[in-house]
Amino acid sequence: MEPDLFTAAAEERQERDPSGSPLAVRMRPRTLDEVVGQQHLLKPGSPLRRLVGEGAGGPAGPSSVILWGPPGTGKTTLAYVVSKATNKRFVELSAITAGVKEVRAVIDSARRATGGFGKETVLFLDEIHRFSKAQQDSLLPAVENRWITLIAATTENPYFSVISPLLSRSLLLTLEPLTDDDLRALLRRALSDERGLKDAVTLPEDSENHLLRIAGGDARRALTALEAAAGAALDKGEPGITLQTLEETVDRAAVTYDRDGDQHYDVASALIKSIRGSDVDAALHYLARMIDAGEDPRFIARRLMISASEDIGLADPNALPIAVAAAQAVAMIGFPEAALTLSHATIALALAPKSNAATMAIGAAMEDVRKGHAGPVPMHLRDGHYKGAAKLGHAQGYVYPHDLPEGIAEQRYAPEELKDREYYEPTRHGAEARYADAVEWTRQHLGRKRS
């Protein structure tokens, strides 16, 4: 609904004296140029630039947009900037409290404003994924006929949570998690800006790094924690926000972890070695340290995929599919829910039977190749599909295994120099025992001599 007189008066008082507002509200950008991060969405001529009137002239008006991204990445901020910068009517609704009645009221009002005063309307609809299909359907005529320009925000995948007709009538803009550099710039601006803390306290490097870790790419969380810690420091009479004060304020211990230094590699190494050693509890401890320190979940998932092949292999053929599925899920959902997926995979890998036979096998084969032990491909294995191949002797004498009762042909496959080389030495651990039996049987039927 459009703001009433009381709401408008409250907003006006807040603008005149913002000191009573939360720091995250006071530090909201006033223009698109003040926005931190999301620069891929703010280039000249972009939909958001056009919404605020930059290059929006001519017959092609600005499109409705759906903003999709994690919490604290700037969806509401971008809508707020549009509301302040545009010369259009701006109406804000939340799908948590609004319904079809409120949407229709905005649309009717927009049609009257357009017809009577030539004034276009921008509708910001937050949490659009909370609208049912029928509620989203109510937006379609207004978006299609441009009675309103819609800015919708969602933290959930719009391909699952927004109806297809509305998606097809809007531009989907994906917001990325803010980087440490983005958040660092935001924190430093908040410390010095007149709207912020006005240099009342300082933020030493160790405190700043801890604040970045607990923020997890969320600007609102970073500014909220900064405000709380600054208040505690001022109450103590401290000139700066010490690490101890910050830990006490946010009730979160600072984990000794440097995502770009030794701790990054040491803890990752300890995680993998704990999985290799089948110590599920130690593995979960190191996983928790990495998650709590804000490690990239995709990095953790990549390490688990490597571990599945390097240390488990065919002792548990399901280990690699589990790790791959975890990596795919992590890429789709991100933190905090990704912690559950990583825990699932870590436990499965730590408790799986172990074998490095696949690792040793490819290592031994690569060593021979590097030493020059290759030799020509046997004639009967060469490609015989092109004209003239038979004259060269290619594919002549090849026995098709499927023509034989047991499905295996006693013929040479490796180059002559390597005909008796055995690279794969399976263990009897877990499911690899059946591969050990298979290897023994096939080598005998291939006429291979035991080394």
Side-chain angles (χ1 to χ4, degrees), residues 96-332:
I96 298 175
T97 56
V100 172
K101 177 182 177 182
E102 288 78 13
V103 169
R104 286 177 176 165
V106 171
I107 293 172
D108 290 342
S109 176
R111 295 182 69 179
R112 289 195 300 270
T114 302
F117 308 103
K119 194 79 168 175
E120 299 177 30
T121 299
V122 175
L123 168 62
F124 173 56
L125 180 58
D126 201 10
E127 308 273 359
I128 190 174
H129 56 270
R130 294 180 180 270
F131 261 11
S132 67
K133 181 180 182 298
Q135 289 172 314
Q136 293 184 32
D137 279 336
S138 67
L139 293 162
L140 290 177
V143 171
E144 185 167 17
N145 293 292
R146 280 198 177 154
W147 299 332
I148 62 168
T149 299
L150 176 68
I151 304 177
T154 179
T155 56
E156 296 190 6
N157 190 328
Y159 291 105
F160 301 128
S161 59
V162 178
I163 59 174
S164 297
L166 191 55
L167 272 178
S168 68
R169 290 163 173 79
S170 309
L171 292 176
L172 177 59
L173 305 181
T174 304
L175 281 74
E176 299 172 351
L178 298 181
T179 66
D180 282 356
D181 287 340
D182 293 334
L183 290 178
R184 188 175 288 109
L186 186 63
L187 291 172
R188 293 178 180 179
R189 182 192 297 172
L191 284 165
S192 60
D193 197 282
E194 285 296 312
R195 293 174 295 158
L197 299 175
K198 306 176 186 178
D199 293 318
V201 290
T202 60
L203 185 66
E205 184 177 358
D206 57 348
S207 298
E208 182 181 72
N209 289 336
H210 183 40
L211 200 48
L212 293 175
R213 291 188 190 109
I214 62 178
D218 187 323
R220 190 182 301 109
R221 186 185 302 167
L223 290 173
T224 300
L226 174 63
E227 184 175 29
L234 291 171
D235 288 344
K236 292 180 179 181
E238 297 174 346
I241 302 172
T242 65
L243 185 58
Q244 180 181 350
T245 297
L246 182 57
E247 289 177 311
E248 292 171 353
T249 305
V250 300
D251 193 25
R252 183 92 168 264
V255 179
T256 304
Y257 192 93
D258 182 354
R259 278 177 278 176
D260 298 317
D262 290 342
Q263 284 289 323
H264 168 83
Y265 297 104
D266 288 348
V267 176
S269 175
L271 169 67
I272 298 307
K273 288 173 181 173
S274 298
I275 291 173
R276 182 182 300 147
S278 300
D279 191 332
V280 63
D281 302 301
L284 286 168
H285 165 75
Y286 292 116
L287 174 65
R289 281 173 63 168
M290 297 173 82
I291 292 172
D292 193 62
E295 181 60 81
D296 186 342
R298 295 169 299 179
F299 169 77
I300 303 173
R302 287 195 296 269
R303 298 307 307 166
L304 295 179
M305 286 191 289
I306 294 168
S307 172
S309 290
E310 181 180 9
D311 295 316
I312 298 171
L314 293 172
D316 184 353
N318 288 321
L320 182 58
I322 287 172
V324 171
Q328 292 172 335
V330 162
M332 292 179 67

Side-chain angles (χ1 to χ4, degrees), residues 8 20 30 66 94 122 185 279 298 362:
R30 293 161 294 192
I66 296 175
S94 172
V122 175
D279 191 332
R298 295 169 299 179
I362 189 61

